[in-house]
Amino acid sequence: AKKKATNVSIKSELLEKAKKYRKNISANVEKTLEKIVREYEIQNWEKENKEAINSYNQRISEHGVFSDELRSF
């Protein structure tokens, strides 16, 4: 994806240490932000899909699943 420049405020001591250890600030911020966003998406998936899940469960409760008649167990 295309990258976009942005401004970020970071504690000066932390920034100095990162530069001292030759850490790529942009790459590490991006990696951490991707992880945070992914965790948020995972945590909120069920909440965002609750209505559809409840609807599906209600339909299955009322009508069963298509393979009910085919199963031997």
Side-chain angles (χ1 to χ4, degrees), residues 3-65:
K3 295 192 179 213
K4 183 175 180 179
T6 188
N7 293 321
V8 180
S9 296
I10 300 174
K11 294 177 187 175
S12 59
E13 291 176 8
L14 183 58
L15 183 60
E16 288 175 27
K17 285 182 179 181
K19 287 181 179 181
K20 176 182 173 184
Y21 301 135
R22 296 179 172 232
K23 296 298 175 183
N24 183 321
I25 310 255
S26 295
N28 282 285
V29 168
E30 186 173 302
K31 182 178 177 182
T32 302
L33 190 55
E34 286 173 344
K35 181 179 176 185
I36 290 168
V37 167
R38 182 69 183 138
E39 287 173 359
Y40 175 85
E41 290 173 341
I42 289 169
Q43 290 171 356
N44 288 285
W45 182 90
E46 186 174 348
K47 188 186 308 179
E48 293 169 357
N49 293 284
K50 186 174 184 134
E51 186 177 329
I53 293 168
N54 289 340
S55 175
Y56 173 80
N57 288 337
Q58 181 66 32
R59 184 170 55 88
I60 296 303
S61 177
E62 292 173 5
H63 304 288
V65 293

